Structure formats: structure tokens, C-alpha cells
mmCIF file of all heavy atoms in Angstrom:
data_model
loop_
_atom_site.group_PDB
_atom_site.id
_atom_site.type_symbol
_atom_site.label_atom_id
_atom_site.label_comp_id
_atom_site.label_asym_id
_atom_site.label_seq_id
_atom_site.Cartn_x
_atom_site.Cartn_y
_atom_site.Cartn_z
ATOM 1 N N ASP X 56 10.011 -2.870 -6.050
ATOM 2 C CA ASP X 56 11.320 -2.217 -6.038
ATOM 3 C C ASP X 56 11.501 -1.244 -7.197
ATOM 4 O O ASP X 56 12.599 -0.750 -7.445
ATOM 5 C CB ASP X 56 12.440 -3.265 -6.050
ATOM 6 C CG ASP X 56 12.459 -4.098 -7.336
ATOM 7 O OD1 ASP X 56 11.602 -3.883 -8.219
ATOM 8 O OD2 ASP X 56 13.350 -4.972 -7.446
ATOM 9 N N GLY X 57 10.421 -0.983 -7.913
ATOM 10 C CA GLY X 57 10.474 -0.063 -9.045
ATOM 11 C C GLY X 57 10.760 -0.737 -10.364
ATOM 12 O O GLY X 57 10.634 -0.112 -11.415
ATOM 13 N N ASN X 58 11.121 -2.017 -10.333
ATOM 14 C CA ASN X 58 11.493 -2.718 -11.562
ATOM 15 C C ASN X 58 10.445 -3.690 -12.069
ATOM 16 O O ASN X 58 10.540 -4.175 -13.202
ATOM 17 C CB ASN X 58 12.812 -3.475 -11.340
ATOM 18 C CG ASN X 58 13.969 -2.537 -11.086
ATOM 19 O OD1 ASN X 58 14.166 -1.569 -11.809
ATOM 20 N ND2 ASN X 58 14.733 -2.825 -10.023
ATOM 21 N N GLY X 59 9.469 -4.009 -11.266
ATOM 22 C CA GLY X 59 8.440 -4.962 -11.673
ATOM 23 C C GLY X 59 7.211 -4.809 -10.811
ATOM 24 O O GLY X 59 7.272 -4.282 -9.693
ATOM 25 N N ASP X 60 6.089 -5.280 -11.336
ATOM 26 C CA ASP X 60 4.802 -5.137 -10.641
ATOM 27 C C ASP X 60 4.627 -6.304 -9.658
ATOM 28 O O ASP X 60 3.819 -7.203 -9.864
ATOM 29 C CB ASP X 60 3.682 -5.119 -11.686
ATOM 30 C CG ASP X 60 2.388 -4.550 -11.145
ATOM 31 O OD1 ASP X 60 2.407 -3.941 -10.057
ATOM 32 O OD2 ASP X 60 1.347 -4.710 -11.824
ATOM 33 N N ALA X 61 5.394 -6.272 -8.571
ATOM 34 C CA ALA X 61 5.534 -7.431 -7.676
ATOM 35 C C ALA X 61 4.355 -7.628 -6.739
ATOM 36 O O ALA X 61 4.188 -8.709 -6.186
ATOM 37 C CB ALA X 61 6.821 -7.304 -6.863
ATOM 38 N N HIS X 62 3.563 -6.590 -6.499
ATOM 39 C CA HIS X 62 2.418 -6.670 -5.591
ATOM 40 C C HIS X 62 2.833 -7.184 -4.210
ATOM 41 O O HIS X 62 2.194 -8.068 -3.630
ATOM 42 C CB HIS X 62 1.299 -7.523 -6.195
ATOM 43 C CG HIS X 62 0.581 -6.848 -7.317
ATOM 44 N ND1 HIS X 62 -0.568 -6.108 -7.151
ATOM 45 C CD2 HIS X 62 0.891 -6.753 -8.637
ATOM 46 C CE1 HIS X 62 -0.955 -5.611 -8.300
ATOM 47 N NE2 HIS X 62 -0.080 -5.976 -9.229
ATOM 48 N N LEU X 63 3.904 -6.595 -3.698
ATOM 49 C CA LEU X 63 4.375 -6.927 -2.361
ATOM 50 C C LEU X 63 3.535 -6.193 -1.318
ATOM 51 O O LEU X 63 2.900 -5.173 -1.617
ATOM 52 C CB LEU X 63 5.842 -6.519 -2.208
ATOM 53 C CG LEU X 63 6.846 -7.150 -3.173
ATOM 54 C CD1 LEU X 63 8.216 -6.514 -2.970
ATOM 55 C CD2 LEU X 63 6.896 -8.648 -2.980
ATOM 56 N N PRO X 64 3.577 -6.666 -0.066
ATOM 57 C CA PRO X 64 2.913 -5.913 1.009
ATOM 58 C C PRO X 64 3.542 -4.534 1.177
ATOM 59 O O PRO X 64 4.710 -4.315 0.830
ATOM 60 C CB PRO X 64 3.162 -6.790 2.247
ATOM 61 C CG PRO X 64 3.391 -8.160 1.710
ATOM 62 C CD PRO X 64 4.109 -7.955 0.405
ATOM 63 N N MET X 65 2.782 -3.605 1.693
ATOM 64 C CA MET X 65 3.313 -2.279 1.989
ATOM 65 C C MET X 65 4.533 -2.395 2.898
ATOM 66 O O MET X 65 4.603 -3.270 3.759
ATOM 67 C CB MET X 65 2.230 -1.426 2.663
ATOM 68 C CG MET X 65 1.069 -1.068 1.752
ATOM 69 S SD MET X 65 -0.227 -0.094 2.590
ATOM 70 C CE MET X 65 -0.993 -1.364 3.624
ATOM 71 N N LEU X 66 5.509 -1.520 2.680
ATOM 72 C CA LEU X 66 6.769 -1.441 3.419
ATOM 73 C C LEU X 66 7.798 -2.484 2.983
ATOM 74 O O LEU X 66 8.888 -2.543 3.547
ATOM 75 C CB LEU X 66 6.560 -1.550 4.943
ATOM 76 C CG LEU X 66 5.551 -0.595 5.580
ATOM 77 C CD1 LEU X 66 5.532 -0.805 7.093
ATOM 78 C CD2 LEU X 66 5.881 0.847 5.256
ATOM 79 N N LYS X 67 7.483 -3.296 1.984
ATOM 80 C CA LYS X 67 8.404 -4.341 1.531
ATOM 81 C C LYS X 67 9.119 -3.981 0.232
ATOM 82 O O LYS X 67 9.825 -4.811 -0.334
ATOM 83 C CB LYS X 67 7.650 -5.660 1.353
ATOM 84 C CG LYS X 67 7.003 -6.189 2.623
ATOM 85 C CD LYS X 67 8.031 -6.462 3.718
ATOM 86 C CE LYS X 67 7.369 -7.059 4.950
ATOM 87 N NZ LYS X 67 8.357 -7.298 6.036
ATOM 88 N N GLY X 68 8.944 -2.753 -0.237
ATOM 89 C CA GLY X 68 9.593 -2.307 -1.458
ATOM 90 C C GLY X 68 10.236 -0.953 -1.255
ATOM 91 O O GLY X 68 10.735 -0.650 -0.171
ATOM 92 N N THR X 69 10.203 -0.114 -2.273
ATOM 93 C CA THR X 69 10.918 1.167 -2.225
ATOM 94 C C THR X 69 9.998 2.385 -2.182
ATOM 95 O O THR X 69 10.476 3.520 -2.246
ATOM 96 C CB THR X 69 11.845 1.296 -3.455
ATOM 97 O OG1 THR X 69 11.073 1.206 -4.659
ATOM 98 C CG2 THR X 69 12.901 0.206 -3.450
ATOM 99 N N ILE X 70 8.699 2.193 -2.075
ATOM 100 C CA ILE X 70 7.774 3.330 -1.997
ATOM 101 C C ILE X 70 7.983 4.082 -0.693
ATOM 102 O O ILE X 70 8.181 3.471 0.371
ATOM 103 C CB ILE X 70 6.310 2.845 -2.120
ATOM 104 C CG1 ILE X 70 6.047 2.331 -3.536
ATOM 105 C CG2 ILE X 70 5.325 3.963 -1.774
ATOM 106 C CD1 ILE X 70 4.671 1.748 -3.738
ATOM 107 N N ASP X 71 7.956 5.396 -0.751
ATOM 108 C CA ASP X 71 8.074 6.239 0.446
ATOM 109 C C ASP X 71 6.708 6.296 1.125
ATOM 110 O O ASP X 71 5.891 7.181 0.853
ATOM 111 C CB ASP X 71 8.547 7.642 0.049
ATOM 112 C CG ASP X 71 8.830 8.536 1.252
ATOM 113 O OD1 ASP X 71 8.375 8.207 2.361
ATOM 114 O OD2 ASP X 71 9.511 9.563 1.061
ATOM 115 N N TRP X 72 6.465 5.335 1.999
ATOM 116 C CA TRP X 72 5.139 5.211 2.605
ATOM 117 C C TRP X 72 4.851 6.302 3.631
ATOM 118 O O TRP X 72 3.695 6.719 3.776
ATOM 119 C CB TRP X 72 4.966 3.824 3.218
ATOM 120 C CG TRP X 72 4.754 2.779 2.168
ATOM 121 C CD1 TRP X 72 5.658 1.866 1.711
ATOM 122 C CD2 TRP X 72 3.562 2.578 1.403
ATOM 123 N NE1 TRP X 72 5.110 1.095 0.713
ATOM 124 C CE2 TRP X 72 3.813 1.512 0.505
ATOM 125 C CE3 TRP X 72 2.304 3.182 1.385
ATOM 126 C CZ2 TRP X 72 2.869 1.040 -0.388
ATOM 127 C CZ3 TRP X 72 1.350 2.719 0.493
ATOM 128 C CH2 TRP X 72 1.631 1.663 -0.384
ATOM 129 N N GLU X 73 5.852 6.761 4.355
ATOM 130 C CA GLU X 73 5.588 7.797 5.363
ATOM 131 C C GLU X 73 5.046 9.056 4.709
ATOM 132 O O GLU X 73 4.043 9.624 5.152
ATOM 133 C CB GLU X 73 6.868 8.095 6.166
ATOM 134 C CG GLU X 73 7.247 7.007 7.155
ATOM 135 C CD GLU X 73 6.122 6.708 8.150
ATOM 136 O OE1 GLU X 73 5.510 7.663 8.664
ATOM 137 O OE2 GLU X 73 5.859 5.518 8.411
ATOM 138 N N ARG X 74 5.693 9.504 3.638
ATOM 139 C CA ARG X 74 5.192 10.681 2.924
ATOM 140 C C ARG X 74 3.857 10.383 2.249
ATOM 141 O O ARG X 74 2.960 11.238 2.206
ATOM 142 C CB ARG X 74 6.206 11.138 1.869
ATOM 143 C CG ARG X 74 7.450 11.794 2.412
ATOM 144 C CD ARG X 74 8.368 12.240 1.282
ATOM 145 N NE ARG X 74 7.716 13.199 0.407
ATOM 146 C CZ ARG X 74 7.736 13.134 -0.928
ATOM 147 N NH1 ARG X 74 8.372 12.136 -1.541
ATOM 148 N NH2 ARG X 74 7.116 14.041 -1.644
ATOM 149 N N SER X 75 3.710 9.165 1.735
ATOM 150 C CA SER X 75 2.464 8.799 1.060
ATOM 151 C C SER X 75 1.301 8.767 2.041
ATOM 152 O O SER X 75 0.214 9.265 1.745
ATOM 153 C CB SER X 75 2.619 7.443 0.366
ATOM 154 O OG SER X 75 3.600 7.498 -0.647
ATOM 155 N N PHE X 76 1.523 8.175 3.208
ATOM 156 C CA PHE X 76 0.464 8.130 4.221
ATOM 157 C C PHE X 76 0.072 9.544 4.655
ATOM 158 O O PHE X 76 -1.116 9.849 4.844
ATOM 159 C CB PHE X 76 0.911 7.320 5.440
ATOM 160 C CG PHE X 76 0.933 5.836 5.217
ATOM 161 C CD1 PHE X 76 1.947 5.056 5.758
ATOM 162 C CD2 PHE X 76 -0.069 5.206 4.487
ATOM 163 C CE1 PHE X 76 1.965 3.683 5.562
ATOM 164 C CE2 PHE X 76 -0.056 3.824 4.286
ATOM 165 C CZ PHE X 76 0.966 3.064 4.827
ATOM 166 N N ALA X 77 1.057 10.415 4.828
ATOM 167 C CA ALA X 77 0.763 11.796 5.228
ATOM 168 C C ALA X 77 -0.080 12.495 4.167
ATOM 169 O O ALA X 77 -1.048 13.209 4.490
ATOM 170 C CB ALA X 77 2.071 12.555 5.466
ATOM 171 N N ALA X 78 0.269 12.286 2.893
ATOM 172 C CA ALA X 78 -0.502 12.889 1.809
ATOM 173 C C ALA X 78 -1.910 12.303 1.754
ATOM 174 O O ALA X 78 -2.890 13.028 1.515
ATOM 175 C CB ALA X 78 0.220 12.673 0.475
ATOM 176 N N MET X 79 -2.036 10.998 1.939
ATOM 177 C CA MET X 79 -3.350 10.349 1.938
ATOM 178 C C MET X 79 -4.231 10.911 3.047
ATOM 179 O O MET X 79 -5.406 11.236 2.822
ATOM 180 C CB MET X 79 -3.189 8.834 2.096
ATOM 181 C CG MET X 79 -2.568 8.146 0.890
ATOM 182 S SD MET X 79 -1.986 6.462 1.235
ATOM 183 C CE MET X 79 -3.548 5.623 1.539
ATOM 184 N N LYS X 80 -3.665 11.032 4.238
ATOM 185 C CA LYS X 80 -4.453 11.520 5.381
ATOM 186 C C LYS X 80 -4.919 12.956 5.164
ATOM 187 O O LYS X 80 -6.034 13.329 5.538
ATOM 188 C CB LYS X 80 -3.617 11.423 6.651
ATOM 189 C CG LYS X 80 -4.403 11.740 7.916
ATOM 190 C CD LYS X 80 -3.612 11.380 9.166
ATOM 191 C CE LYS X 80 -4.452 11.608 10.414
ATOM 192 N NZ LYS X 80 -3.722 11.200 11.648
ATOM 193 N N ALA X 81 -4.071 13.750 4.510
ATOM 194 C CA ALA X 81 -4.398 15.164 4.323
ATOM 195 C C ALA X 81 -5.302 15.417 3.119
ATOM 196 O O ALA X 81 -6.043 16.408 3.103
ATOM 197 C CB ALA X 81 -3.110 15.967 4.162
ATOM 198 N N SER X 82 -5.282 14.524 2.127
ATOM 199 C CA SER X 82 -5.876 14.872 0.839
ATOM 200 C C SER X 82 -7.037 14.008 0.370
ATOM 201 O O SER X 82 -7.822 14.443 -0.474
ATOM 202 C CB SER X 82 -4.790 14.840 -0.248
ATOM 203 O OG SER X 82 -3.696 15.664 0.092
ATOM 204 N N LEU X 83 -7.162 12.791 0.870
ATOM 205 C CA LEU X 83 -8.175 11.898 0.323
ATOM 206 C C LEU X 83 -9.561 12.183 0.898
ATOM 207 O O LEU X 83 -9.703 12.451 2.089
ATOM 208 C CB LEU X 83 -7.810 10.436 0.616
ATOM 209 C CG LEU X 83 -6.547 9.881 -0.048
ATOM 210 C CD1 LEU X 83 -6.411 8.401 0.277
ATOM 211 C CD2 LEU X 83 -6.563 10.100 -1.549
ATOM 212 N N PRO X 84 -10.597 12.089 0.067
ATOM 213 C CA PRO X 84 -11.965 12.213 0.578
ATOM 214 C C PRO X 84 -12.329 10.974 1.400
ATOM 215 O O PRO X 84 -11.718 9.914 1.267
ATOM 216 C CB PRO X 84 -12.812 12.285 -0.698
ATOM 217 C CG PRO X 84 -11.983 11.622 -1.747
ATOM 218 C CD PRO X 84 -10.547 11.888 -1.393
ATOM 219 N N GLU X 85 -13.333 11.102 2.238
ATOM 220 C CA GLU X 85 -13.712 10.006 3.127
ATOM 221 C C GLU X 85 -14.196 8.782 2.372
ATOM 222 O O GLU X 85 -14.065 7.658 2.859
ATOM 223 C CB GLU X 85 -14.791 10.467 4.110
ATOM 224 C CG GLU X 85 -14.292 11.462 5.155
ATOM 225 C CD GLU X 85 -15.361 11.782 6.184
ATOM 226 O OE1 GLU X 85 -16.476 11.183 6.095
ATOM 227 O OE2 GLU X 85 -15.099 12.607 7.076
ATOM 228 N N ASP X 86 -14.755 8.979 1.184
ATOM 229 C CA ASP X 86 -15.307 7.841 0.445
ATOM 230 C C ASP X 86 -14.305 7.192 -0.507
ATOM 231 O O ASP X 86 -14.671 6.325 -1.305
ATOM 232 C CB ASP X 86 -16.565 8.250 -0.322
ATOM 233 C CG ASP X 86 -16.302 9.353 -1.350
ATOM 234 O OD1 ASP X 86 -15.177 9.903 -1.366
ATOM 235 O OD2 ASP X 86 -17.220 9.666 -2.126
ATOM 236 N N CYS X 87 -13.024 7.591 -0.431
ATOM 237 C CA CYS X 87 -12.008 6.966 -1.270
ATOM 238 C C CYS X 87 -11.817 5.512 -0.830
ATOM 239 O O CYS X 87 -11.628 5.230 0.362
ATOM 240 C CB CYS X 87 -10.689 7.725 -1.157
ATOM 241 S SG CYS X 87 -9.363 7.061 -2.192
ATOM 242 N N VAL X 88 -11.873 4.596 -1.778
ATOM 243 C CA VAL X 88 -11.775 3.164 -1.483
ATOM 244 C C VAL X 88 -10.314 2.733 -1.550
ATOM 245 O O VAL X 88 -9.648 2.904 -2.579
ATOM 246 C CB VAL X 88 -12.610 2.334 -2.483
ATOM 247 C CG1 VAL X 88 -12.452 0.838 -2.190
ATOM 248 C CG2 VAL X 88 -14.079 2.748 -2.417
ATOM 249 N N LEU X 89 -9.809 2.159 -0.457
ATOM 250 C CA LEU X 89 -8.429 1.694 -0.387
ATOM 251 C C LEU X 89 -8.409 0.174 -0.502
ATOM 252 O O LEU X 89 -9.057 -0.520 0.284
ATOM 253 C CB LEU X 89 -7.777 2.129 0.927
ATOM 254 C CG LEU X 89 -7.791 3.638 1.220
ATOM 255 C CD1 LEU X 89 -7.115 3.918 2.557
ATOM 256 C CD2 LEU X 89 -7.114 4.421 0.097
ATOM 257 N N VAL X 90 -7.669 -0.329 -1.485
ATOM 258 C CA VAL X 90 -7.595 -1.770 -1.727
ATOM 259 C C VAL X 90 -6.146 -2.224 -1.586
ATOM 260 O O VAL X 90 -5.267 -1.726 -2.295
ATOM 261 C CB VAL X 90 -8.115 -2.127 -3.136
ATOM 262 C CG1 VAL X 90 -7.982 -3.630 -3.384
ATOM 263 C CG2 VAL X 90 -9.558 -1.681 -3.315
ATOM 264 N N MET X 91 -5.892 -3.155 -0.667
ATOM 265 C CA MET X 91 -4.564 -3.758 -0.575
ATOM 266 C C MET X 91 -4.481 -4.823 -1.666
ATOM 267 O O MET X 91 -5.042 -5.900 -1.529
ATOM 268 C CB MET X 91 -4.343 -4.354 0.811
ATOM 269 C CG MET X 91 -4.232 -3.321 1.906
ATOM 270 S SD MET X 91 -3.811 -4.042 3.513
ATOM 271 C CE MET X 91 -5.234 -5.093 3.807
ATOM 272 N N GLU X 92 -3.781 -4.493 -2.735
ATOM 273 C CA GLU X 92 -3.742 -5.363 -3.905
ATOM 274 C C GLU X 92 -2.483 -6.229 -3.847
ATOM 275 O O GLU X 92 -1.574 -6.107 -4.666
ATOM 276 C CB GLU X 92 -3.788 -4.522 -5.179
ATOM 277 C CG GLU X 92 -4.193 -5.309 -6.415
ATOM 278 C CD GLU X 92 -4.303 -4.420 -7.635
ATOM 279 O OE1 GLU X 92 -3.287 -3.806 -8.044
ATOM 280 O OE2 GLU X 92 -5.412 -4.332 -8.189
ATOM 281 N N TYR X 93 -2.466 -7.127 -2.877
ATOM 282 C CA TYR X 93 -1.316 -8.011 -2.690
ATOM 283 C C TYR X 93 -1.445 -9.246 -3.580
ATOM 284 O O TYR X 93 -2.512 -9.548 -4.104
ATOM 285 C CB TYR X 93 -1.217 -8.451 -1.237
ATOM 286 C CG TYR X 93 -0.916 -7.354 -0.228
ATOM 287 C CD1 TYR X 93 -0.755 -6.027 -0.612
ATOM 288 C CD2 TYR X 93 -0.802 -7.656 1.123
ATOM 289 C CE1 TYR X 93 -0.492 -5.038 0.314
ATOM 290 C CE2 TYR X 93 -0.534 -6.673 2.062
ATOM 291 C CZ TYR X 93 -0.376 -5.364 1.664
ATOM 292 O OH TYR X 93 -0.114 -4.379 2.591
ATOM 293 N N ASN X 94 -0.348 -9.963 -3.712
ATOM 294 C CA ASN X 94 -0.356 -11.198 -4.486
ATOM 295 C C ASN X 94 -1.375 -12.187 -3.941
ATOM 296 O O ASN X 94 -1.599 -12.263 -2.720
ATOM 297 C CB ASN X 94 1.033 -11.859 -4.455
ATOM 298 C CG ASN X 94 1.990 -11.232 -5.445
ATOM 299 O OD1 ASN X 94 1.624 -10.967 -6.590
ATOM 300 N ND2 ASN X 94 3.212 -10.974 -5.015
ATOM 301 N N SER X 95 -1.982 -12.962 -4.851
ATOM 302 C CA SER X 95 -2.862 -14.031 -4.397
ATOM 303 C C SER X 95 -2.052 -15.016 -3.567
ATOM 304 O O SER X 95 -0.880 -15.292 -3.864
ATOM 305 C CB SER X 95 -3.498 -14.747 -5.597
ATOM 306 O OG SER X 95 -2.504 -15.298 -6.434
ATOM 307 N N GLY X 96 -2.659 -15.526 -2.511
ATOM 308 C CA GLY X 96 -1.942 -16.429 -1.627
ATOM 309 C C GLY X 96 -1.238 -15.740 -0.479
ATOM 310 O O GLY X 96 -0.602 -16.401 0.351
ATOM 311 N N THR X 97 -1.331 -14.404 -0.422
ATOM 312 C CA THR X 97 -0.739 -13.681 0.703
ATOM 313 C C THR X 97 -1.424 -14.129 1.999
ATOM 314 O O THR X 97 -2.654 -14.170 2.060
ATOM 315 C CB THR X 97 -0.915 -12.161 0.530
ATOM 316 O OG1 THR X 97 -0.215 -11.741 -0.645
ATOM 317 C CG2 THR X 97 -0.361 -11.404 1.724
ATOM 318 N N PRO X 98 -0.669 -14.480 3.028
ATOM 319 C CA PRO X 98 -1.279 -14.947 4.285
ATOM 320 C C PRO X 98 -2.242 -13.916 4.875
ATOM 321 O O PRO X 98 -2.021 -12.709 4.768
ATOM 322 C CB PRO X 98 -0.075 -15.162 5.208
ATOM 323 C CG PRO X 98 1.088 -15.350 4.289
ATOM 324 C CD PRO X 98 0.804 -14.496 3.087
ATOM 325 N N LEU X 99 -3.287 -14.409 5.496
ATOM 326 C CA LEU X 99 -4.257 -13.518 6.131
ATOM 327 C C LEU X 99 -3.597 -12.645 7.196
ATOM 328 O O LEU X 99 -3.997 -11.506 7.411
ATOM 329 C CB LEU X 99 -5.394 -14.333 6.744
ATOM 330 C CG LEU X 99 -6.355 -14.993 5.753
ATOM 331 C CD1 LEU X 99 -7.383 -15.849 6.494
ATOM 332 C CD2 LEU X 99 -7.062 -13.943 4.898
ATOM 333 N N SER X 100 -2.587 -13.191 7.862
ATOM 334 C CA SER X 100 -1.898 -12.412 8.896
ATOM 335 C C SER X 100 -1.220 -11.181 8.296
ATOM 336 O O SER X 100 -1.181 -10.110 8.919
ATOM 337 C CB SER X 100 -0.868 -13.287 9.614
ATOM 338 O OG SER X 100 0.087 -13.803 8.689
ATOM 339 N N THR X 101 -0.701 -11.322 7.071
ATOM 340 C CA THR X 101 -0.063 -10.193 6.395
ATOM 341 C C THR X 101 -1.103 -9.147 6.002
ATOM 342 O O THR X 101 -0.859 -7.935 6.108
ATOM 343 C CB THR X 101 0.700 -10.672 5.147
ATOM 344 O OG1 THR X 101 1.668 -11.649 5.533
ATOM 345 C CG2 THR X 101 1.404 -9.519 4.451
ATOM 346 N N LEU X 102 -2.265 -9.610 5.547
ATOM 347 C CA LEU X 102 -3.353 -8.684 5.226
ATOM 348 C C LEU X 102 -3.820 -7.955 6.482
ATOM 349 O O LEU X 102 -4.120 -6.753 6.442
ATOM 350 C CB LEU X 102 -4.514 -9.448 4.589
ATOM 351 C CG LEU X 102 -4.221 -10.100 3.233
ATOM 352 C CD1 LEU X 102 -5.385 -10.986 2.807
ATOM 353 C CD2 LEU X 102 -3.947 -9.044 2.173
#
């Protein structure tokens, strides 16, 4: 939510993901490594 390093799943905070995804698709090289850095114990279904 901008106030703490909560490591929530994507779409669960205040990041503008639609604009971010558009920028990622347009700008990232193919070999860029994407890591979902969620809290330990996050259910596999959420991952």
C-alpha cells in the first residue's frame, strides 16, 4: 500500500499494474527474469 514492504500478491496493493504490465511488455528484453517475490507461506494457488 506504499507504507510498508508487505510482499502482497500482485493486484492486492496500490501499484498501477495495468500501466506497469504495458510498460513491461513494450520495454523488457526477452531474457529479463521475473520473480514473484511474495511472502513465505503464500498458497501455491495464489502463485
Side-chain angles (χ1 to χ4, degrees):
D56 64 359
N58 295 312
D60 198 13
H62 287 267
L63 301 174
M65 292 178 287
L66 307 183
K67 299 300 183 181
T69 59
I70 291 176
D71 186 343
W72 285 104
E73 287 303 316
R74 288 182 60 227
S75 297
F76 286 141
M79 291 165 67
K80 187 169 184 177
S82 305
L83 295 184
E85 290 186 2
D86 61 352
C87 181
V88 178
L89 304 180
V90 178
M91 291 186 297
E92 198 177 62
Y93 294 1
N94 279 316
S95 59
T97 297
L99 289 176
S100 59
T101 302
L102 296 172

